[in-house]
Amino acid sequence: MENVDASLQLDANVDLTIKGTTGNNTIYSGAGADTIDLTSGGSDILGFQTGTVAQVDTVTGFVAGGEKLAFDADLMTGISATGTLAAANYAEATIVTSGSTNDATTDNDDDAVHNALDALANVATAQVIVLVDGDGGNNTLIAAEVDSGLALSDATGSGFVILVANDAAATATTLYYDPDFNNAGDLVQIGAITTTGTNTSAAALSQADFLVI
């Protein structure tokens, strides 16, 4: 079973542990808090079909530039075409926070998110937004700041927010779903992705790493 190309749909209500093969696997996450190990290699596709539960999937061994994160078009208002995510539907910004207590209400870090997003030409059409934490582990950007900053920005529709922790190892990526980009208080974490072993850094995510299913 080491070199098998497989497609797997995880059960919606059960927490499962899945280990990929060296083949090119397609794994669709369910609503459970699943653990998905991709360290065996291959060019895998990891699909997220729900954004309505706070049951976090833990993914290890994801390789940016070689594997894909796939999102259900039904969760992203305004997207009709499936396949590689269009450039107009992708945005990326590096966020440098200004405070030291990691609190959106006192640090104005939500304004940092807002300002960075609104500097992007396609923020109004973006459905997948990658935010790179530019503080290098200091004054770390947190979900409340992202949530508030999205609500303040000109982002519209709904979609996924990928927060990349830009620490020394640059290995941690947190995946959130926001149903509208317009209201604070509704950001839900659905994934925690790390790279391991010889795999490349999650901080290298780009438009080409995303699919619409």
Side-chain angles (χ1 to χ4, degrees):
M1 295 295 291
E2 282 298 309
N3 192 23
V4 175
D5 297 343
S7 182
L8 179 65
Q9 168 69 63
L10 302 186
D11 187 276
N13 296 307
V14 178
D15 299 346
L16 298 174
T17 299
I18 300 298
K19 185 174 178 62
T21 69
T22 55
N24 300 327
N25 305 295
T26 300
I27 300 173
Y28 294 102
S29 173
D34 304 311
T35 299
I36 303 169
D37 183 350
L38 304 179
T39 56
S40 291
S43 296
D44 302 313
I45 296 173
L46 181 59
F48 291 89
Q49 297 175 292
T50 179
T52 58
V53 294
Q55 293 171 299
V56 179
D57 295 325
T58 301
V59 182
T60 58
F62 179 84
V63 181
E67 297 179 302
K68 307 287 185 182
L69 293 175
F71 302 129
D72 193 330
D74 291 339
L75 298 176
M76 296 187 287
T77 304
I79 287 185
S80 56
T82 57
T84 302
L85 186 71
N89 300 130
Y90 175 83
E92 180 178 335
T94 297
I95 311 299
V96 178
T97 62
S98 57
S100 59
T101 60
N102 305 330
D103 185 285
T105 60
T106 60
D107 292 349
N108 294 320
D109 292 341
D110 51 348
D111 288 333
V113 174
H114 165 209
N115 293 336
L117 289 177
D118 283 359
L120 304 175
N122 62 335
V123 66
T125 57
Q127 301 288 322
V128 173
I129 300 176
V130 173
L131 299 178
V132 179
D133 187 343
D135 284 318
N138 298 316
N139 309 329
T140 305
L141 192 65
I142 60 174
E145 298 159 355
V146 172
D147 193 21
S148 181
L150 281 168
L152 290 170
S153 77
D154 293 331
T156 60
S158 61
F160 293 85
V161 181
I162 294 89
L163 179 61
V164 178
N166 192 20
D167 56 14
T171 58
T173 300
T174 309
L175 175 62
Y176 297 97
Y177 174 70
D178 193 314
D180 54 22
F181 286 169
N182 292 312
N183 297 304
D186 54 2
L187 193 72
V188 177
Q189 183 181 353
I190 63 172
I193 303 170
T194 61
T195 61
T196 58
T198 59
N199 292 317
T200 58
S201 171
L205 286 169
S206 68
Q207 174 199 344
D209 292 310
F210 300 99
L211 298 174
V212 179
I213 55 177

PDB file of all heavy atoms in Angstrom, residues 186-201:
ATOM      1  N   ASP A 186     -17.339  35.746  13.941  1.00  0.00           N
ATOM      2  CA  ASP A 186     -17.805  34.530  13.269  1.00  0.00           C
ATOM      3  C   ASP A 186     -16.681  33.752  12.583  1.00  0.00           C
ATOM      4  O   ASP A 186     -16.935  32.868  11.780  1.00  0.00           O
ATOM      5  CB  ASP A 186     -18.893  34.861  12.254  1.00  0.00           C
ATOM      6  CG  ASP A 186     -18.470  35.927  11.247  1.00  0.00           C
ATOM      7  OD1 ASP A 186     -17.315  36.392  11.311  1.00  0.00           O
ATOM      8  OD2 ASP A 186     -19.310  36.295  10.405  1.00  0.00           O
ATOM      9  N   LEU A 187     -15.440  34.056  12.911  1.00  0.00           N
ATOM     10  CA  LEU A 187     -14.303  33.337  12.346  1.00  0.00           C
ATOM     11  C   LEU A 187     -14.152  32.003  13.066  1.00  0.00           C
ATOM     12  O   LEU A 187     -14.109  31.951  14.298  1.00  0.00           O
ATOM     13  CB  LEU A 187     -13.033  34.175  12.511  1.00  0.00           C
ATOM     14  CG  LEU A 187     -11.800  33.749  11.728  1.00  0.00           C
ATOM     15  CD1 LEU A 187     -11.979  34.045  10.247  1.00  0.00           C
ATOM     16  CD2 LEU A 187     -10.575  34.520  12.240  1.00  0.00           C
ATOM     17  N   VAL A 188     -14.066  30.897  12.309  1.00  0.00           N
ATOM     18  CA  VAL A 188     -13.991  29.558  12.892  1.00  0.00           C
ATOM     19  C   VAL A 188     -12.711  28.875  12.434  1.00  0.00           C
ATOM     20  O   VAL A 188     -12.443  28.794  11.230  1.00  0.00           O
ATOM     21  CB  VAL A 188     -15.205  28.703  12.479  1.00  0.00           C
ATOM     22  CG1 VAL A 188     -15.081  27.287  13.039  1.00  0.00           C
ATOM     23  CG2 VAL A 188     -16.501  29.339  12.947  1.00  0.00           C
ATOM     24  N   GLN A 189     -11.898  28.381  13.367  1.00  0.00           N
ATOM     25  CA  GLN A 189     -10.713  27.621  12.993  1.00  0.00           C
ATOM     26  C   GLN A 189     -11.120  26.214  12.585  1.00  0.00           C
ATOM     27  O   GLN A 189     -11.857  25.532  13.285  1.00  0.00           O
ATOM     28  CB  GLN A 189      -9.708  27.530  14.139  1.00  0.00           C
ATOM     29  CG  GLN A 189      -8.430  26.785  13.733  1.00  0.00           C
ATOM     30  CD  GLN A 189      -7.424  26.668  14.866  1.00  0.00           C
ATOM     31  OE1 GLN A 189      -7.597  27.239  15.929  1.00  0.00           O
ATOM     32  NE2 GLN A 189      -6.365  25.908  14.629  1.00  0.00           N
ATOM     33  N   ILE A 190     -10.641  25.762  11.418  1.00  0.00           N
ATOM     34  CA  ILE A 190     -10.960  24.413  10.962  1.00  0.00           C
ATOM     35  C   ILE A 190      -9.713  23.574  10.683  1.00  0.00           C
ATOM     36  O   ILE A 190      -9.830  22.373  10.433  1.00  0.00           O
ATOM     37  CB  ILE A 190     -11.866  24.424   9.717  1.00  0.00           C
ATOM     38  CG1 ILE A 190     -11.157  25.085   8.533  1.00  0.00           C
ATOM     39  CG2 ILE A 190     -13.185  25.109  10.013  1.00  0.00           C
ATOM     40  CD1 ILE A 190     -11.924  24.952   7.234  1.00  0.00           C
ATOM     41  N   GLY A 191      -8.530  24.181  10.725  1.00  0.00           N
ATOM     42  CA  GLY A 191      -7.342  23.397  10.433  1.00  0.00           C
ATOM     43  C   GLY A 191      -6.090  23.932  11.088  1.00  0.00           C
ATOM     44  O   GLY A 191      -5.964  25.136  11.337  1.00  0.00           O
ATOM     45  N   ALA A 192      -5.153  23.024  11.399  1.00  0.00           N
ATOM     46  CA  ALA A 192      -3.823  23.373  11.889  1.00  0.00           C
ATOM     47  C   ALA A 192      -2.840  22.550  11.069  1.00  0.00           C
ATOM     48  O   ALA A 192      -2.835  21.321  11.130  1.00  0.00           O
ATOM     49  CB  ALA A 192      -3.685  23.055  13.367  1.00  0.00           C
ATOM     50  N   ILE A 193      -2.018  23.212  10.263  1.00  0.00           N
ATOM     51  CA  ILE A 193      -1.156  22.541   9.300  1.00  0.00           C
ATOM     52  C   ILE A 193       0.299  22.807   9.642  1.00  0.00           C
ATOM     53  O   ILE A 193       0.693  23.952   9.884  1.00  0.00           O
ATOM     54  CB  ILE A 193      -1.452  23.039   7.870  1.00  0.00           C
ATOM     55  CG1 ILE A 193      -2.935  22.816   7.529  1.00  0.00           C
ATOM     56  CG2 ILE A 193      -0.562  22.334   6.849  1.00  0.00           C
ATOM     57  CD1 ILE A 193      -3.372  23.491   6.251  1.00  0.00           C
ATOM     58  N   THR A 194       1.097  21.752   9.680  1.00  0.00           N
ATOM     59  CA  THR A 194       2.532  21.911   9.915  1.00  0.00           C
ATOM     60  C   THR A 194       3.308  21.156   8.854  1.00  0.00           C
ATOM     61  O   THR A 194       2.810  20.223   8.228  1.00  0.00           O
ATOM     62  CB  THR A 194       2.952  21.384  11.296  1.00  0.00           C
ATOM     63  OG1 THR A 194       2.658  19.987  11.383  1.00  0.00           O
ATOM     64  CG2 THR A 194       2.222  22.122  12.403  1.00  0.00           C
ATOM     65  N   THR A 195       4.536  21.579   8.645  1.00  0.00           N
ATOM     66  CA  THR A 195       5.442  20.828   7.785  1.00  0.00           C
ATOM     67  C   THR A 195       6.429  20.093   8.668  1.00  0.00           C
ATOM     68  O   THR A 195       6.770  20.532   9.756  1.00  0.00           O
ATOM     69  CB  THR A 195       6.193  21.762   6.822  1.00  0.00           C
ATOM     70  OG1 THR A 195       6.961  22.694   7.585  1.00  0.00           O
ATOM     71  CG2 THR A 195       5.228  22.514   5.934  1.00  0.00           C
ATOM     72  N   THR A 196       6.887  18.947   8.187  1.00  0.00           N
ATOM     73  CA  THR A 196       7.821  18.142   8.976  1.00  0.00           C
ATOM     74  C   THR A 196       8.898  17.563   8.079  1.00  0.00           C
ATOM     75  O   THR A 196       8.767  17.522   6.860  1.00  0.00           O
ATOM     76  CB  THR A 196       7.083  16.980   9.672  1.00  0.00           C
ATOM     77  OG1 THR A 196       6.435  16.173   8.671  1.00  0.00           O
ATOM     78  CG2 THR A 196       6.032  17.491  10.640  1.00  0.00           C
ATOM     79  N   GLY A 197       9.965  17.086   8.699  1.00  0.00           N
ATOM     80  CA  GLY A 197      11.008  16.386   7.972  1.00  0.00           C
ATOM     81  C   GLY A 197      11.623  17.245   6.892  1.00  0.00           C
ATOM     82  O   GLY A 197      12.013  18.386   7.124  1.00  0.00           O
ATOM     83  N   THR A 198      11.711  16.708   5.673  1.00  0.00           N
ATOM     84  CA  THR A 198      12.344  17.422   4.570  1.00  0.00           C
ATOM     85  C   THR A 198      11.363  18.260   3.773  1.00  0.00           C
ATOM     86  O   THR A 198      11.716  18.830   2.752  1.00  0.00           O
ATOM     87  CB  THR A 198      13.016  16.412   3.613  1.00  0.00           C
ATOM     88  OG1 THR A 198      12.009  15.508   3.121  1.00  0.00           O
ATOM     89  CG2 THR A 198      14.088  15.623   4.318  1.00  0.00           C
ATOM     90  N   ASN A 199      10.115  18.337   4.227  1.00  0.00           N
ATOM     91  CA  ASN A 199       9.121  19.091   3.479  1.00  0.00           C
ATOM     92  C   ASN A 199       9.402  20.591   3.534  1.00  0.00           C
ATOM     93  O   ASN A 199      10.003  21.099   4.464  1.00  0.00           O
ATOM     94  CB  ASN A 199       7.727  18.798   4.027  1.00  0.00           C
ATOM     95  CG  ASN A 199       7.306  17.373   3.743  1.00  0.00           C
ATOM     96  OD1 ASN A 199       7.506  16.869   2.657  1.00  0.00           O
ATOM     97  ND2 ASN A 199       6.749  16.714   4.739  1.00  0.00           N
ATOM     98  N   THR A 200       8.913  21.294   2.516  1.00  0.00           N
ATOM     99  CA  THR A 200       9.176  22.724   2.429  1.00  0.00           C
ATOM    100  C   THR A 200       8.272  23.515   3.356  1.00  0.00           C
ATOM    101  O   THR A 200       7.305  23.014   3.892  1.00  0.00           O
ATOM    102  CB  THR A 200       8.964  23.211   0.984  1.00  0.00           C
ATOM    103  OG1 THR A 200       7.613  22.902   0.581  1.00  0.00           O
ATOM    104  CG2 THR A 200       9.926  22.528   0.037  1.00  0.00           C
ATOM    105  N   SER A 201       8.572  24.786   3.518  1.00  0.00           N
ATOM    106  CA  SER A 201       7.884  25.622   4.493  1.00  0.00           C
ATOM    107  C   SER A 201       6.467  25.956   4.077  1.00  0.00           C
ATOM    108  O   SER A 201       6.199  26.288   2.928  1.00  0.00           O
ATOM    109  CB  SER A 201       8.665  26.923   4.682  1.00  0.00           C
ATOM    110  OG  SER A 201       7.928  27.827   5.450  1.00  0.00           O
TER     111      SER A 201
END
